[in-house]
């Protein structure tokens, strides 16, 4: 991590809220974090611009996938399409960077010992670190959704949305569903954040923890795509990542939402406990 990514930390008190506020302030002031969010914002913008340029005002999406035609008819589909594009690679990449840096980044800078000198406690520090990573998941997802809506409204017509089940809903109803989809994707990334937090407690080299988290995300998706390993699918934290499409039906199908939340809670519990066990016995003086 460069010095520009590590602004000076304000004095911390023992209060959990004060510690969390300090953690969030430091996280979102980092140049790296801002750059990651800017890169995510570019995904829907570039997608919308590319569709606009290649369709050249035609009614359909040309020779491209069917969803490109949906975007030309209604700019509100840019957010949905951008989420679909971002969830397999770009969102896990940014979350892996942030989660992998939670503890290892402090250790590499030499600030971890300073934090533990204050009356914070190791358990509280780990919980705050995870809360910061989880908040980044929410912000990163909302960046994709919001910039997708802005780009879509700027470049294409906006009107009632046709759901996957065939019914049409108004713009207000669709915005509510879009926020639910953002919540779904945020929940989907919580298990990966817990894995990254655990990896971060194993090393004082942030790049190693980041790489391990991102690689595990990629491997899980590859395993999920192999029919020979179907028995493992329900246990993979990536299995329900694209299930937010069920929120585009009427009535809404909540099955994947509930299954995904339960699965991610299991990963958070297991890898959160591993991270706590590792960090509470970690020798930060070595």
């Amino acid at each position: 991590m460069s010095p520009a990514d590590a602004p000076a930390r304000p004095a911390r008190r023992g209060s959990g809220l004060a510690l969390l506020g300090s953690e969030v302030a430091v996280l979102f002031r980092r140049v790296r974090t801002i750059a990651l969010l800017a890169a995510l914002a570019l995904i829907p913008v570039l997608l919308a611009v590319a569709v606009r340029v290649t369709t050249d005002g035609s009614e359909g999406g040309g020779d491209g996938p069917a969803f490109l035609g949906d975007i030309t008819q209604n700019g509100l589909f840019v957010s949905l399409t951008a989420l679909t594009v971002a969830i397999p690679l770009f969102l896990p990449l940014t979350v892996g960077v942030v989660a992998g840096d939670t503890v290892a980044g402090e250790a590499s800078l030499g600030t971890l010992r300073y934090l533990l000198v204050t009356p914070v406690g190791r358990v509280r520090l780990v919980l705050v670190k995870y809360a910061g990573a989880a908040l980044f998941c929410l912000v990163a997802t909302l960046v994709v959704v919001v910039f997708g809506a802005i780009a879509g409204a700027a470049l294409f017509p906006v009107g009632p949305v046709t759901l996957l089940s065939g019914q049409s809903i108004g713009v207000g109803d669709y915005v509510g569903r879009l926020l639910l989809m953002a919540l779904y994707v945020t929940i989907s990334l919580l298990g990966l954040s817990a894995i990254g937090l655990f990896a971060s407690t194993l090393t004082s080299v942030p790049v190693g923890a980041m790489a391990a988290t991102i690689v595990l995300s990629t491997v899980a998706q590859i395993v999920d795509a192999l029919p020979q390993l179907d028995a493992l699918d329900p246990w993979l934290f990536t299995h329900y990542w694209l299930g937010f499409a069920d929120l585009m039906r009427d009535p809404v199908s909540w099955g994947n939402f509930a299954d995904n939340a339960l699965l991610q809670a299991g990963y958070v519990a297991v890898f959160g406990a591993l991270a706590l066990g590792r960090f509470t016995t970690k020798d930060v003086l070595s």
Side-chain angles (χ1 to χ4, degrees), residues 40-121:
L40 288 174
L42 279 177
I43 293 173
V45 173
L46 292 177
L47 176 64
V49 171
V51 173
R52 180 66 178 180
V53 171
T54 55
T55 56
D56 194 26
S58 60
E59 292 299 315
D63 295 329
F67 65 77
L68 298 184
D70 295 333
I71 291 177
T72 60
Q73 297 301 306
N74 196 332
L76 294 176
F77 279 109
V78 173
S79 293
L80 175 60
T81 306
L83 274 181
T84 305
V85 170
I87 186 64
L89 175 61
F90 299 106
L91 280 170
L93 178 64
T94 57
V95 170
V97 169
V98 171
D101 185 62
T102 47
V103 176
E106 300 279 9
S108 68
L109 290 172
T111 55
L112 187 57
R113 283 174 289 181
Y114 162 75
L115 289 177
L116 296 178
V117 168
T118 62
V120 170

Side-chain angles (χ1 to χ4, degrees), residues 175-185 244 247 252 254 257:
V175 169
R177 290 176 185 247
L178 202 56
L179 292 176
L180 280 175
M181 284 187 275
L183 176 61
Y184 183 102
V185 172
F244 58 83
L247 298 173
V252 173
W254 296 101
F257 200 114

Side-chain angles (χ1 to χ4, degrees), residues 188-261:
S188 298
L189 296 171
L190 293 182
L192 180 63
S193 296
I195 293 173
L197 176 67
F198 172 58
S200 190
T201 64
L202 299 176
T203 179
S204 59
V205 182
V207 175
M210 296 173 190
T213 305
I214 296 167
V215 167
L216 281 175
S217 170
T218 304
V219 170
Q221 292 182 76
I222 293 173
V223 172
D224 196 18
L226 296 176
Q228 296 87 347
L229 300 176
D230 281 349
L232 298 177
D233 289 354
W235 304 98
L236 297 173
F237 61 92
T238 59
H239 182 61
Y240 296 102
W241 275 8
L242 293 175
F244 58 83
D246 284 347
L247 298 173
M248 287 290 290
R249 304 181 188 278
D250 192 17
V252 173
S253 176
W254 296 101
N256 278 340
F257 200 114
D259 291 341
N260 183 44

Side-chain angles (χ1 to χ4, degrees), residues 6-30:
R9 290 181 175 272
R12 300 190 184 212
R13 299 173 304 198
S15 167
L17 289 178
L19 183 63
L20 178 59
S22 174
E23 177 66 24
V24 170
V26 170
L27 173 61
F28 287 98
R29 283 205 309 264
R30 284 177 177 160

Side-chain angles (χ1 to χ4, degrees), residues 265-278:
Y267 271 88
V268 171
V270 171
F271 284 92
L274 289 174
L276 283 171
R278 167 62 179 168

